[in-house]
Amino acid sequence: MYEGVVQDLIDELGHLPGIGPKSAQRIAFHLLAADPADIARLQDVLGKVREGVQFCEICGNVSEQQQCRICRDVRRDTSQICVVEEPKDVLAVERTREFKGRYHVLGGALDPLSGIGPDQLRIRELLTRIGGEEVTEVIIATDPNTEGEATATYLVRMLRDFPGLAVTRLASGLPMGGDLEFADELTLGRALSGRRAL
Ligand SMILES: [Zn+2]
């Protein structure tokens, strides 16, 4: 335990996902030694992030405007929607450069034990989108873990009734139990191009 505010900083950093006590300590001491201008920039961004970030009205991705950069891009194929859990998964799929369609961010995965049912996710928005746009394929790219699989199964059931709509799922080969964002570009790209119909 350090005295006072240094320990507070370490504690706060330690609450962040993926940062253990050792990393928290390392980051804290890095910040203590950092250039004041760097700290000011970090402070500025942290202050803005709550109020400045909004979510795209179409896909639910984080966005600086009402519609995100991908939804605004007229070169993107509007007939394909790739359904992911989180905005970070959009980045993961984008990195593969294999996908030219648009996205739909659910905002999580079904997890009844934590109280996350279909109404807590942007599933209704997805169905409305498919009903209103010229969508011919929905690629389900939820995480390869229990919640992600349960979500995929649920979505398949909901999407079955749309005539002429192909519903596909990323090919296996992704590390099970993992997070989409942790798959390397090559593996994820292969899973995408080898997607299978459901
Ligand atoms: Zn969007």
Side-chain angles (χ1 to χ4, degrees), residues 13-58:
L13 291 169
H15 291 149
L16 300 173
I19 299 188
K22 277 204 175 131
S23 308
Q25 194 171 314
R26 204 165 56 233
I27 296 169
F29 282 102
H30 169 83
L31 291 174
L32 288 177
D35 191 317
D38 289 342
I39 299 291
R41 259 200 315 275
L42 179 62
Q43 226 168 0
D44 188 43
V45 169
L46 287 177
K48 280 181 191 155
V49 78
R50 287 301 306 183
E51 65 220 43
V53 172
Q54 42 180 333
F55 295 91
C56 171
E57 62 180 5
I58 298 175

Side-chain angles (χ1 to χ4, degrees), residues 82 93 96 98-99 139 141 170-171 187-195:
C82 179
V93 177
T96 69
E98 289 275 343
F99 182 64
I139 302 164
L170 294 185
T187 310
L188 187 53
R190 277 202 200 116
L192 195 60
S193 54
R195 64 187 181 272

Side-chain angles (χ1 to χ4, degrees), residues 56 58-61 67-68 71:
C56 171
I58 298 175
C59 71
N61 195 8
Q67 295 179 2
C68 74
C71 288

Side-chain angles (χ1 to χ4, degrees), residues 3 24 30 33 45 115 125 129 138-139 145 148 173 181 195 197:
E3 282 182 37
H30 169 83
V45 169
E125 288 87 339
R129 246 183 110 175
V138 171
I139 302 164
N145 55 28
E181 58 162 331
R195 64 187 181 272

